[in-house]
Amino acid sequence: MSAVRIHIPPVRLAKLLRTPGGLPVAEAVQRAGAGLESLKGECLTELKSVLDAAEACAARAGAAYDPALLDELYAIVATPIGIPSVCGLASVDTALISLSDLLDYLKGQERWDANAVAVHLRAFRLLLHTEGAADEAGTQAILAGLRKVSQRYARPEAAAE
């Protein structure tokens, strides 16, 4: 009769994690910040192309509700959410989220409001081009205004003022 032996190989990752050494946390965070800062130019270029595509899509909209166009615009503005925050442009991220919420509310109500969309796109452009020079109070006022516009459609039409 033969004996069964179970062999469990050592996990290298666990051993490496327990081994002291490597970069100090402060230096690792500093290097990560420098790496993200180096991506900011690429991020701005990509966000400008997203803005151009969103404006072109919104310009094609008529006065009536068009579900295909609304879906296309939603895909354009929802895809880059998260990228601006990584590149230090959190207010642009908030504007994109607000616009996505607005489009979602409009789709749920099968409505179209070109002015509300245009306000969001203009704010997106303003925040994108003035992020570094904008004062915090001005930025917060813009974002609060966008929230009011999108929240106007968050309620059912019967409850709207």
Side-chain angles (χ1 to χ4, degrees), residues 16-91:
L16 288 172
L17 290 174
R18 286 190 299 266
T19 305
L23 293 177
V25 173
E27 188 177 339
V29 169
Q30 184 181 15
R31 283 187 182 183
L36 290 175
E37 188 63 34
S38 71
L39 295 175
K40 193 168 184 176
E42 261 183 71
C43 182
L44 286 173
T45 302
E46 182 63 29
L47 289 171
K48 286 175 186 173
S49 69
V50 166
L51 175 61
D52 292 340
E55 288 175 336
C57 182
R60 292 194 328 263
Y65 171 73
D66 181 355
L69 185 120
L70 198 125
D71 287 343
E72 180 184 348
L73 183 57
Y74 183 87
I76 291 169
V77 300
T79 301
I81 288 176
I83 294 172
S85 288
V86 170
C87 296
L89 303 170
S91 62

Side-chain angles (χ1 to χ4, degrees), residues 10 15 56 63 69 72 80 89 91 102-103 117 134 136 153:
K15 183 179 176 184
L69 185 120
E72 180 184 348
L89 303 170
S91 62
L102 171 68
L103 296 173
V117 172
E136 186 64 27
Y153 291 97

Side-chain angles (χ1 to χ4, degrees), residues 131-145:
E131 180 69 28
D135 65 311
E136 186 64 27
T139 299
Q140 291 309 313
I142 291 169
L143 297 176

Side-chain angles (χ1 to χ4, degrees), residues 105-119:
Y105 300 145
L106 290 174
K107 182 174 181 160
Q109 297 172 20
E110 296 185 357
R111 296 177 65 178
W112 176 249
D113 186 339
N115 289 331
V117 172
V119 163

